[in-house]
Amino acid sequence: MDFKPCVNINKELDIVGARQLGRTRAKELGFGTVDQARIATAISELARNIYLYAGKGKVCFEVIDQLDKQGLKVVASDEGPGIRDISQVMQDGYSTSGGLGAGLPGVKRLMDHFEIHSEWGKGTEIQAIKWVR
Amino acid sequence: MPTRVNKIIMENSDVIIKNWLEIVSEKRKNDYTSSISEDLFQSTNREFVNVIFDSLDQQSLTKGLEAFSERLVNLGWPLSYLTDGLQTFRRVTIDFVLGQNEKIDTDFFSIILDRVDSWVDPIINKLVNEYSGSWEHTVSLQRVALQELSAPLIPVMRNITIMPLIGTIDTERAKQIMENLLEGVIKHNAEVVLIDITGVPVVDTMVAHHIIQAAEAVRLIGSTCILVGIRPEIAQTIVNLGIDLGKFPTKSSLRKGFETALELTGRTIHRESNKEEVIEDIIGSIEKE
Ligand SMILES: Nc1ncnc2c1ncn2[C@@H]1O[C@H](COP(=O)(O)OP(=O)(O)OP(=O)(O)O)[C@@H](O)[C@H]1O
Ligand SMILES: [Mg+2]
């Protein structure tokens, strides 16, 4: 499959762009309506976090082909301030911006696989995978 | 010296124009203006080049240039037609002047460049300004149009108001929703306001947060907010996000929400079909007699 793999996040409207591209990919891979909505929402959370906390970064997509299954991998990366305490931001309700603090723990529940790497002062990379059922 | 360059250019305007028209027409073949008819293209080119020469003749930017660029903006011609055209013009003119002189010292060369630049550059600037001004104007008009569309309130019945939301919600729009909602609830004296999110493609934490805040604010001014049009997939993602919408009533469809709103405002639906049944009953009982 041949496609544009990344969306740069610089302004709020780019969140919509990332979400739309992600949804299109998900549709092509054969995800159902509910999973498409889950993926789009997860992308929205990750992209908005980049926009809010890092200013800029990118959201990339990758199709994962394995013998027994296929999936869509979303990689959100930025060179922003990074996260000091990962277990803290993964708690429901923790927010430094007066938000609901449901974004990151929500993405973990929306997707099948969730990985977060962050270095204080260097940036953050979050990878999330959803498998086609 | 500068006037000498001007003189060469003015005296040979025919040749320069001819060269320019040739190159521009040639270039067009693989170009953006291909949807424009040949006649219109040629007449616009001639007008363009005349406008350029007028501004050399009068040593300043002319009214003609302004009118010309305004027309092209309105017709939607690409800015690159004008900038490419002027760059080509610069080259053609310099080539021509250089070709007129057997020997050229560097001083004269730089004078030629200076003269041509000081002639062409202001025109380019003027046109770019004209174009970007009109774009900004269009964007600001569209912004106003969108704002008017973004959070409409419909007072459907005394004390009941509906806000149908369609499309993506960003921070700007979320603010608008809150403002319109509170303003409208007070203005229409609404006891119940239904927010319909059937047309909102994604409800993420930001959108949910704003809706919760709006509902809370509506509650504080003494009215009730009902969230309706929650599609099944949206309900699922909201649950996955762990968002609690339990503090205010939610309904899957606008119809169900409206029925609740009627109840809350002390009304019930009296179906027409019931009346017919009653009438049939009456007719039936009459017939029996
Ligand atoms: N890319 C990032 N770079 C730096 N800090 C981040 C990044 N993403 C999240 N954070 C931090 O983690 C916290 C939790 O993020 P999370 O998305 O879960 O909640 P939130 O954005 O505060 O609120 P919301 O519920 O609206 O998403 C944020 O408040 C922020 O401090
Ligand atoms: Mg967030």
Side-chain angles (χ1 to χ4, degrees):
Chain A
M1 220 174 283
D2 187 32
F3 60 70
K4 180 170 162 261
C6 293
V7 176
N8 288 322
I9 308 294
N10 297 306
K11 51 184 187 307
E12 197 179 1
L13 197 58
D14 295 331
I15 299 170
V16 181
R19 201 153 85 188
Q20 274 170 355
L21 187 58
R23 200 193 275 273
T24 310
R25 297 298 160 245
K27 216 179 274 179
E28 284 166 5
L29 279 170
F31 281 103
T33 330
V34 177
D35 277 347
Q36 281 176 35
R38 287 195 175 109
I39 292 166
T41 309
I43 294 166
S44 195
E45 296 301 338
L46 298 176
R48 186 171 300 280
N49 281 355
I50 290 176
Y51 170 71
L52 282 179
Y53 308 117
K56 60 183 191 329
K58 60 182 183 201
V59 175
C60 299
F61 302 98
E62 213 178 293
V63 174
I64 307 187
D65 267 311
Q66 285 185 0
L67 276 181
D68 53 336
K69 56 187 175 183
Q70 233 192 358
L72 182 67
K73 180 172 175 183
V74 180
V75 182
S77 54
D78 65 66
E79 291 170 10
I83 294 168
R84 208 196 294 260
D85 183 350
I86 287 179
S87 64
Q88 191 174 38
V89 300
M90 291 310 295
Q91 278 165 26
D92 274 301
Y94 176 80
S95 173
T96 55
S97 64
L100 290 174
L104 289 177
V107 172
K108 188 170 178 180
R109 284 187 294 260
L110 288 164
M111 305 292 277
D112 296 324
H113 174 87
F114 181 90
E115 247 176 77
I116 175 166
H117 304 276
S118 188
E119 205 171 326
W120 182 239
K122 287 234 172 95
T124 304
E125 187 184 281
I126 293 169
Q127 304 194 352
I129 302 174
K130 191 90 192 160
W131 300 111
V132 186
R133 247 163 272 281
Chain B
M1 270 299 252
T3 44
R4 195 181 130 206
V5 177
N6 278 14
K7 226 173 121 213
I8 298 174
I9 296 173
M10 288 309 284
E11 275 167 5
N12 296 283
S13 62
D14 288 355
V15 188
I16 294 177
I17 290 175
K18 194 177 133 277
N19 291 350
W20 182 78
L21 285 173
E22 267 169 22
I23 296 182
V24 169
S25 304
E26 182 57 34
K27 262 192 173 172
R28 187 198 181 188
K29 293 197 176 113
N30 41 18
D31 213 359
Y32 35 78
T33 48
S34 49
S35 61
I36 295 160
S37 81
E38 185 62 24
D39 281 354
L40 179 62
F41 184 68
Q42 291 304 342
S43 69
T44 307
N45 284 344
R46 274 190 296 278
E47 196 184 341
F48 186 15
V49 80
N50 285 335
V51 164
I52 300 173
F53 267 99
D54 281 350
S55 79
L56 177 69
D57 199 20
Q58 305 186 8
Q59 305 273 334
S60 73
L61 298 173
T62 59
K63 281 254 162 1
L65 175 69
E66 207 161 293
F68 176 70
S69 68
E70 224 177 272
R71 251 203 21 249
L72 287 199
V73 169
N74 287 335
L75 290 174
W77 281 49
L79 175 60
S80 49
Y81 163 75
L82 296 172
T83 51
D84 286 355
L86 281 159
Q87 298 302 1
T88 307
F89 195 85
R90 193 201 304 270
R91 233 194 39 239
V92 168
T93 309
I94 290 171
D95 281 356
F96 181 84
V97 179
L98 291 178
Q100 292 299 294
N101 299 272
E102 305 248 299
K103 261 193 165 155
I104 294 162
D105 56 48
T106 44
D107 279 355
F108 184 58
F109 186 69
S110 72
I111 286 170
I112 294 174
L113 290 186
D114 265 7
R115 278 314 300 157
V116 176
D117 280 353
S118 70
W119 174 30
V120 172
D121 286 345
I123 302 182
I124 294 185
N125 287 342
K126 170 82 189 160
L127 291 174
V128 170
N129 274 337
E130 195 79 24
Y131 263 75
S132 62
S134 108
W135 287 325
E136 275 159 23
H137 183 60
T138 309
V139 169
S140 81
L141 284 182
Q142 284 173 342
R143 189 189 299 272
V144 171
L146 265 182
Q147 249 165 25
E148 283 171 357
L149 271 178
S150 78
L153 262 181
I154 307 168
V156 275
M157 198 177 267
R158 203 158 52 82
N159 304 335
I160 301 178
T161 296
I162 300 179
M163 180 181 272
L165 298 176
I166 292 169
T168 294
I169 296 174
D170 58 6
T171 19
E172 178 69 24
R173 197 169 169 207
K175 263 189 234 147
Q176 195 99 37
I177 291 170
M178 176 76 101
E179 275 170 29
N180 290 8
L181 200 59
L182 294 182
E183 226 170 74
V185 165
I186 293 167
K187 184 173 146 209
H188 303 302
N189 199 10
E191 277 175 47
V192 181
V193 48
L194 299 144
I195 302 182
D196 183 6
I197 60 163
T198 312
V200 178
V202 171
V203 177
D204 58 11
T205 54
M206 190 277 273
V207 172
H209 193 200
H210 278 101
I211 290 175
I212 291 171
Q213 282 180 328
E216 185 62 20
V218 168
R219 197 182 64 80
L220 285 177
I221 56 174
S223 305
T224 307
C225 192
I226 305 177
L227 188 62
V228 303
I230 304 172
R231 287 173 280 127
E233 68 271 24
I234 299 295
Q236 294 259 18
T237 55
I238 289 177
V239 169
N240 286 148
L241 285 172
I243 295 168
D244 180 17
L245 292 180
K247 279 218 206 95
F248 54 96
T250 53
K251 287 279 175 291
S252 57
S253 68
L254 181 56
R255 190 176 60 80
K256 286 184 186 146
F258 195 67
E259 283 174 4
T260 309
L262 288 173
E263 269 166 41
L264 287 172
T265 53
R267 299 173 172 106
T268 47
I269 299 181
H270 190 77
R271 287 181 212 283
E272 202 58 39
S273 60
N274 288 350
K275 230 188 233 166
E276 276 162 21
E277 274 168 33
V278 174
I279 292 171
E280 272 164 29
D281 282 353
I282 295 172
I283 294 173
S285 62
I286 294 173
E287 278 172 351
K288 265 184 214 148
E289 281 180 4

